[in-house]
Amino acid sequence: MTIAIIYPPTCDTTGPYLSVPILTAWLRSHNKKVLPIDANIEAYNYLLKENTLSDMLNSIRKLYRALDEKPSLNHSDQMKYVQLYNAMAKLNWVPDNIEDAVSVMRDSTGGRFFNAEEYEKAVITIEAGLKIISALYHPLYLDFQNYRTPFSLLSPSQIKADAATDKNPFHSTYKRVADRIKENNVSLAGISIAFPGQIQPGFSLAGYLRSCFTDIHITVGGPAITQILLRHDHENQLKILGPFDTAIIYEGEEPFLDLANSLERGEKPAGIINGSIDKPMEKLPAPDFDGLPLDLYFSPEPVLPYDPSRGCYWGKCSFCHYGLSSEGTAKYRERNINDIVNHLKQLSNRWGCKNFYFSQDAFLPETAHRLGLAIKEKNLDIHWSTDMRPEASLTPEMCADLKAGGALSMALGIESASPRLLKLIRKGITTDTMITAVKSLASAGIAVEAMCFNNFPTETLKDALATIEFIRENKKFISLFIDGRFGLSHGSRVALNPSEYGISEIWQVSGDEIGTGLFYSIRGRERSIKEQTKIDNAIDSLSAYWWLHDYPWAGSLSTVHTILWYEKRGRDTFRKSAKKGHRTTFSTPMTKIKSRYDIKSMEYTALENEAEIWQTLVYEHRAVSPERYNNLAAKFPLIQPEKR
Ligand code: SF4
């Protein structure tokens, strides 16, 4: 039997994710034949090409002409018209430049990749390429993290509707995946859905494969799909499964192997298969990247992910719901230090990989220390980056050992600098301890990334500004930071005990049958728009000290490119580059487009009306459906062409 393990879009294109290599290794160690497929990198390798984007711009021009000739435009027409116009006016230059931009990202000499002006231009070009795709497939919005349509994932029927060929930018890639499945005689295909942006594309892929093959078993697993399915009763779970024969929830090694064995015995498994939540890691093989197209990723050299541990040893933070668990985080487990060192050595030799990203919830400092000492003793020429809690055990002596043992960067969960909020969050660490950990790591030469957020329930303006001030005061020790906006997750302590956090009500909108959106109201006064604007402005002005980019580029936390920049240019690189003002060096050309409308006014009106519709649906009606949306949209006046 050949088993295909497929990683669908839309995700980071700079390196492979861990799920496929982990399952591949496990199945191969049990003598199964595995065909690993990264449909994400294959899709973007096809889409971000000159011919593909030129064809898309031609299709955009045709759609635009058809709309421009209409006697009047309704709200949905206006939304589309604006997208098409902007693509033609602002993105005409992209096809000619896209392949050069991708080649900068793959520049193995490093000469262009580490040149800030060239890098900045490549980022802008690739992001502009994504905008062309979104414009053609409007109302889809797509980037390397998000795949959103207005009614995304509302219901099984909406998932099916959004999977239609003409709505799916990945369709050509899916056809090539199907060809490989046929050529390789695959009888079991597993689709790994780790992140929310992969859910709809994963379902679309399964639907397409189902339409091509009636005789292969299609299964799904991974954190994003697990967290959806475990909130539903059995009947709903089966409805959600749609084109999949089975879904494996929680950790997948054992159940995937059992599934393959049972298919080999001629059995016909169906429905939900429960995986493990605490599989010991001692016997797990090293992730196996053989068969993945490592030369296709948008990176000058491989930075491979590895998993020294799973779960979180602390597991108490009240906002947290990560990974393969129904609440909070999974139980903490580790691999043996000797195994870790041997695996890293093998992977480094096999793939010429000098930098590893340890993909895990929170690495125990004592284990990291033992690993660092072992790496130093074996004289391994590798670096590693990971996530940690800013614990008191991160003393200057320990940090010096970590540095000598290959530690390159640490993303620290700071969350907030307000002592009251840290207590409410159940962080278990004081701001003084955090400052000591940050300084010890940075002084040892390890890049420190500070992960914070604002708008946690009950947070005051003063609390939020204290966090920003914490970053500002310690900025010479902080290589990068993020201060995002709190989002409520199912399965977090806050969602399970809302009254302890000043939350008066949690609701989902009617029509959201899958249950992906979670909304809440707080007791007492909500934060005003003026207050939130003050916080956002303070974050913006603080951001100017760093050369920041969106995920997954250099200057966003814990990404392949960021790791490579730290290694090449040192832990201060993003502050130094900000001082040089690289962001202002590339302006993009505009193309003049004929229009019968006042485009600026149309854009303003359409976006205002769109915001009003969603505000009404979510907060007044608390119900969402295409019909309700259309009814509200129909109340806005049609726009007529301007009289010349
Ligand atoms: S936020 Fe981090 S430290 Fe806190 S429970 Fe979650 S994984 Fe553990």
Side-chain angles (χ1 to χ4, degrees), residues 22 26 30 39 47 50 103 219 222 238 247 262 298 360 410 442 527 539 585 620 625:
I22 282 181
W26 174 255
H30 289 81
L47 289 168
E50 181 177 352
S103 73
T219 191
L238 296 184
S262 94
F298 296 180
Q360 52 195 351
M410 303 281 180
R527 174 171 288 165
I539 294 172
T585 55
E620 287 179 32
S625 69

PDB file of all heavy atoms in Angstrom, residues 22 26 30 39 47 50 103 219 222 238 247 262 298 360 410 442 527 539 585 620 625:
ATOM      1  N   ILE A  22       6.986  14.051  10.397  1.00  0.00           N
ATOM      2  CA  ILE A  22       6.827  13.201  11.594  1.00  0.00           C
ATOM      3  C   ILE A  22       6.040  11.933  11.244  1.00  0.00           C
ATOM      4  O   ILE A  22       6.428  10.817  11.595  1.00  0.00           O
ATOM      5  CB  ILE A  22       6.106  13.988  12.707  1.00  0.00           C
ATOM      6  CG1 ILE A  22       7.084  14.937  13.378  1.00  0.00           C
ATOM      7  CG2 ILE A  22       5.513  13.059  13.738  1.00  0.00           C
ATOM      8  CD1 ILE A  22       6.481  15.734  14.500  1.00  0.00           C
ATOM      9  N   TRP A  26       7.321   7.968  11.064  1.00  0.00           N
ATOM     10  CA  TRP A  26       6.666   6.943  11.872  1.00  0.00           C
ATOM     11  C   TRP A  26       6.180   5.786  10.994  1.00  0.00           C
ATOM     12  O   TRP A  26       6.414   4.608  11.283  1.00  0.00           O
ATOM     13  CB  TRP A  26       5.501   7.578  12.624  1.00  0.00           C
ATOM     14  CG  TRP A  26       4.652   6.616  13.379  1.00  0.00           C
ATOM     15  CD1 TRP A  26       3.413   6.174  13.037  1.00  0.00           C
ATOM     16  CD2 TRP A  26       4.980   5.971  14.618  1.00  0.00           C
ATOM     17  NE1 TRP A  26       2.941   5.307  13.970  1.00  0.00           N
ATOM     18  CE2 TRP A  26       3.885   5.165  14.964  1.00  0.00           C
ATOM     19  CE3 TRP A  26       6.083   6.014  15.462  1.00  0.00           C
ATOM     20  CZ2 TRP A  26       3.863   4.398  16.114  1.00  0.00           C
ATOM     21  CZ3 TRP A  26       6.066   5.236  16.614  1.00  0.00           C
ATOM     22  CH2 TRP A  26       4.973   4.445  16.931  1.00  0.00           C
ATOM     23  N   HIS A  30       7.618   1.711  10.256  1.00  0.00           N
ATOM     24  CA  HIS A  30       6.770   0.508  10.345  1.00  0.00           C
ATOM     25  C   HIS A  30       6.567  -0.097   8.955  1.00  0.00           C
ATOM     26  O   HIS A  30       5.524  -0.711   8.678  1.00  0.00           O
ATOM     27  CB  HIS A  30       5.428   0.841  11.015  1.00  0.00           C
ATOM     28  CG  HIS A  30       5.585   1.118  12.476  1.00  0.00           C
ATOM     29  ND1 HIS A  30       6.009   2.331  12.973  1.00  0.00           N
ATOM     30  CD2 HIS A  30       5.419   0.321  13.558  1.00  0.00           C
ATOM     31  CE1 HIS A  30       6.077   2.265  14.284  1.00  0.00           C
ATOM     32  NE2 HIS A  30       5.731   1.048  14.666  1.00  0.00           N
ATOM     33  N   ALA A  39       1.617  20.294  -0.779  1.00  0.00           N
ATOM     34  CA  ALA A  39       0.812  20.978  -1.808  1.00  0.00           C
ATOM     35  C   ALA A  39       0.862  22.491  -1.622  1.00  0.00           C
ATOM     36  O   ALA A  39       0.562  23.242  -2.558  1.00  0.00           O
ATOM     37  CB  ALA A  39      -0.632  20.483  -1.747  1.00  0.00           C
ATOM     38  N   LEU A  47       1.728  29.441  -8.605  1.00  0.00           N
ATOM     39  CA  LEU A  47       0.973  30.702  -8.680  1.00  0.00           C
ATOM     40  C   LEU A  47       1.887  31.919  -8.816  1.00  0.00           C
ATOM     41  O   LEU A  47       1.565  32.866  -9.546  1.00  0.00           O
ATOM     42  CB  LEU A  47       0.097  30.868  -7.431  1.00  0.00           C
ATOM     43  CG  LEU A  47      -1.103  29.917  -7.330  1.00  0.00           C
ATOM     44  CD1 LEU A  47      -1.713  29.966  -5.934  1.00  0.00           C
ATOM     45  CD2 LEU A  47      -2.163  30.257  -8.373  1.00  0.00           C
ATOM     46  N   GLU A  50       5.540  34.362 -13.530  1.00  0.00           N
ATOM     47  CA  GLU A  50       5.168  35.454 -14.444  1.00  0.00           C
ATOM     48  C   GLU A  50       3.927  35.097 -15.272  1.00  0.00           C
ATOM     49  O   GLU A  50       2.965  35.862 -15.347  1.00  0.00           O
ATOM     50  CB  GLU A  50       6.347  35.780 -15.368  1.00  0.00           C
ATOM     51  CG  GLU A  50       6.030  36.918 -16.321  1.00  0.00           C
ATOM     52  CD  GLU A  50       7.201  37.303 -17.202  1.00  0.00           C
ATOM     53  OE1 GLU A  50       8.323  36.791 -16.983  1.00  0.00           O
ATOM     54  OE2 GLU A  50       6.986  38.120 -18.114  1.00  0.00           O
ATOM     55  N   SER A 103      13.398  34.424  -6.594  1.00  0.00           N
ATOM     56  CA  SER A 103      14.803  33.988  -6.638  1.00  0.00           C
ATOM     57  C   SER A 103      15.640  34.691  -5.558  1.00  0.00           C
ATOM     58  O   SER A 103      16.620  34.136  -5.082  1.00  0.00           O
ATOM     59  CB  SER A 103      15.399  34.179  -8.028  1.00  0.00           C
ATOM     60  OG  SER A 103      15.625  35.544  -8.253  1.00  0.00           O
ATOM     61  N   THR A 219      -8.358  10.504   4.682  1.00  0.00           N
ATOM     62  CA  THR A 219      -8.500  10.844   6.098  1.00  0.00           C
ATOM     63  C   THR A 219      -7.917  12.232   6.359  1.00  0.00           C
ATOM     64  O   THR A 219      -7.229  12.801   5.510  1.00  0.00           O
ATOM     65  CB  THR A 219      -7.815   9.779   6.995  1.00  0.00           C
ATOM     66  OG1 THR A 219      -8.194   9.995   8.356  1.00  0.00           O
ATOM     67  CG2 THR A 219      -6.294   9.826   6.885  1.00  0.00           C
ATOM     68  N   GLY A 222      -4.760  16.671  12.450  1.00  0.00           N
ATOM     69  CA  GLY A 222      -3.985  17.891  12.724  1.00  0.00           C
ATOM     70  C   GLY A 222      -4.708  18.792  13.710  1.00  0.00           C
ATOM     71  O   GLY A 222      -5.919  18.661  13.922  1.00  0.00           O
ATOM     72  N   LEU A 238     -19.870  13.743  11.884  1.00  0.00           N
ATOM     73  CA  LEU A 238     -19.989  13.007  10.615  1.00  0.00           C
ATOM     74  C   LEU A 238     -20.451  13.933   9.491  1.00  0.00           C
ATOM     75  O   LEU A 238     -19.997  13.818   8.349  1.00  0.00           O
ATOM     76  CB  LEU A 238     -20.954  11.823  10.767  1.00  0.00           C
ATOM     77  CG  LEU A 238     -20.482  10.755  11.757  1.00  0.00           C
ATOM     78  CD1 LEU A 238     -21.443   9.572  11.772  1.00  0.00           C
ATOM     79  CD2 LEU A 238     -19.067  10.267  11.446  1.00  0.00           C
ATOM     80  N   ALA A 247     -11.608  10.873  10.198  1.00  0.00           N
ATOM     81  CA  ALA A 247     -10.782  11.958  10.745  1.00  0.00           C
ATOM     82  C   ALA A 247     -10.102  11.419  11.983  1.00  0.00           C
ATOM     83  O   ALA A 247     -10.726  10.718  12.793  1.00  0.00           O
ATOM     84  CB  ALA A 247     -11.640  13.160  11.113  1.00  0.00           C
ATOM     85  N   SER A 262      -5.588  -1.609   8.970  1.00  0.00           N
ATOM     86  CA  SER A 262      -6.954  -2.128   8.825  1.00  0.00           C
ATOM     87  C   SER A 262      -7.410  -2.067   7.362  1.00  0.00           C
ATOM     88  O   SER A 262      -8.103  -2.964   6.894  1.00  0.00           O
ATOM     89  CB  SER A 262      -7.896  -1.436   9.803  1.00  0.00           C
ATOM     90  OG  SER A 262      -8.508  -0.365   9.221  1.00  0.00           O
ATOM     91  N   PHE A 298      10.937  28.915  -0.300  1.00  0.00           N
ATOM     92  CA  PHE A 298      11.426  30.280  -0.508  1.00  0.00           C
ATOM     93  C   PHE A 298      12.453  30.613   0.569  1.00  0.00           C
ATOM     94  O   PHE A 298      12.218  31.440   1.455  1.00  0.00           O
ATOM     95  CB  PHE A 298      10.272  31.282  -0.439  1.00  0.00           C
ATOM     96  CG  PHE A 298       9.227  31.132  -1.517  1.00  0.00           C
ATOM     97  CD1 PHE A 298       8.125  31.986  -1.553  1.00  0.00           C
ATOM     98  CD2 PHE A 298       9.328  30.172  -2.507  1.00  0.00           C
ATOM     99  CE1 PHE A 298       7.158  31.873  -2.545  1.00  0.00           C
ATOM    100  CE2 PHE A 298       8.367  30.042  -3.504  1.00  0.00           C
ATOM    101  CZ  PHE A 298       7.280  30.885  -3.517  1.00  0.00           C
ATOM    102  N   GLN A 360       7.605  23.659  19.332  1.00  0.00           N
ATOM    103  CA  GLN A 360       7.050  23.085  20.560  1.00  0.00           C
ATOM    104  C   GLN A 360       6.366  24.203  21.344  1.00  0.00           C
ATOM    105  O   GLN A 360       6.598  25.378  21.089  1.00  0.00           O
ATOM    106  CB  GLN A 360       8.151  22.435  21.392  1.00  0.00           C
ATOM    107  CG  GLN A 360       9.341  23.358  21.643  1.00  0.00           C
ATOM    108  CD  GLN A 360      10.589  22.655  22.155  1.00  0.00           C
ATOM    109  OE1 GLN A 360      10.543  21.491  22.488  1.00  0.00           O
ATOM    110  NE2 GLN A 360      11.689  23.378  22.245  1.00  0.00           N
ATOM    111  N   MET A 410      15.185  32.990  21.154  1.00  0.00           N
ATOM    112  CA  MET A 410      14.113  32.471  22.014  1.00  0.00           C
ATOM    113  C   MET A 410      12.930  33.423  21.937  1.00  0.00           C
ATOM    114  O   MET A 410      13.087  34.626  22.190  1.00  0.00           O
ATOM    115  CB  MET A 410      14.534  32.455  23.488  1.00  0.00           C
ATOM    116  CG  MET A 410      15.761  31.687  23.790  1.00  0.00           C
ATOM    117  SD  MET A 410      15.400  29.948  23.843  1.00  0.00           S
ATOM    118  CE  MET A 410      17.041  29.348  24.217  1.00  0.00           C
ATOM    119  N   ALA A 442      19.828  37.982  26.309  1.00  0.00           N
ATOM    120  CA  ALA A 442      20.381  38.927  25.336  1.00  0.00           C
ATOM    121  C   ALA A 442      21.868  39.172  25.598  1.00  0.00           C
ATOM    122  O   ALA A 442      22.670  39.225  24.665  1.00  0.00           O
ATOM    123  CB  ALA A 442      19.594  40.235  25.382  1.00  0.00           C
ATOM    124  N   ARG A 527     -13.754  48.968  26.338  1.00  0.00           N
ATOM    125  CA  ARG A 527     -12.696  49.924  25.962  1.00  0.00           C
ATOM    126  C   ARG A 527     -13.201  50.798  24.819  1.00  0.00           C
ATOM    127  O   ARG A 527     -13.798  50.293  23.860  1.00  0.00           O
ATOM    128  CB  ARG A 527     -11.458  49.149  25.522  1.00  0.00           C
ATOM    129  CG  ARG A 527     -10.372  50.039  24.993  1.00  0.00           C
ATOM    130  CD  ARG A 527      -9.083  49.271  24.770  1.00  0.00           C
ATOM    131  NE  ARG A 527      -8.474  48.941  26.045  1.00  0.00           N
ATOM    132  CZ  ARG A 527      -7.503  48.039  26.197  1.00  0.00           C
ATOM    133  NH1 ARG A 527      -7.049  47.392  25.162  1.00  0.00           N
ATOM    134  NH2 ARG A 527      -6.999  47.796  27.396  1.00  0.00           N
ATOM    135  N   ILE A 539       1.844  51.398  19.871  1.00  0.00           N
ATOM    136  CA  ILE A 539       2.524  50.209  19.324  1.00  0.00           C
ATOM    137  C   ILE A 539       3.191  50.578  17.998  1.00  0.00           C
ATOM    138  O   ILE A 539       4.336  50.202  17.733  1.00  0.00           O
ATOM    139  CB  ILE A 539       1.529  49.036  19.127  1.00  0.00           C
ATOM    140  CG1 ILE A 539       1.005  48.568  20.483  1.00  0.00           C
ATOM    141  CG2 ILE A 539       2.200  47.873  18.392  1.00  0.00           C
ATOM    142  CD1 ILE A 539      -0.129  47.554  20.417  1.00  0.00           C
ATOM    143  N   THR A 585      12.662  52.439   0.564  1.00  0.00           N
ATOM    144  CA  THR A 585      13.525  52.449  -0.612  1.00  0.00           C
ATOM    145  C   THR A 585      12.856  51.961  -1.891  1.00  0.00           C
ATOM    146  O   THR A 585      13.452  52.019  -2.943  1.00  0.00           O
ATOM    147  CB  THR A 585      14.769  51.573  -0.381  1.00  0.00           C
ATOM    148  OG1 THR A 585      14.303  50.281  -0.013  1.00  0.00           O
ATOM    149  CG2 THR A 585      15.662  52.145   0.671  1.00  0.00           C
ATOM    150  N   GLU A 620     -25.820  42.791  16.125  1.00  0.00           N
ATOM    151  CA  GLU A 620     -27.257  43.050  16.324  1.00  0.00           C
ATOM    152  C   GLU A 620     -28.060  41.786  16.074  1.00  0.00           C
ATOM    153  O   GLU A 620     -28.775  41.294  16.931  1.00  0.00           O
ATOM    154  CB  GLU A 620     -27.729  44.170  15.403  1.00  0.00           C
ATOM    155  CG  GLU A 620     -27.235  45.531  15.847  1.00  0.00           C
ATOM    156  CD  GLU A 620     -27.691  46.629  14.909  1.00  0.00           C
ATOM    157  OE1 GLU A 620     -28.786  46.536  14.318  1.00  0.00           O
ATOM    158  OE2 GLU A 620     -26.912  47.595  14.745  1.00  0.00           O
ATOM    159  N   SER A 625     -25.655  34.628   7.381  1.00  0.00           N
ATOM    160  CA  SER A 625     -25.912  33.717   6.250  1.00  0.00           C
ATOM    161  C   SER A 625     -25.830  34.559   4.982  1.00  0.00           C
ATOM    162  O   SER A 625     -25.991  35.790   5.035  1.00  0.00           O
ATOM    163  CB  SER A 625     -27.307  33.084   6.346  1.00  0.00           C
ATOM    164  OG  SER A 625     -28.280  34.085   6.129  1.00  0.00           O
TER     165      SER A 625
END
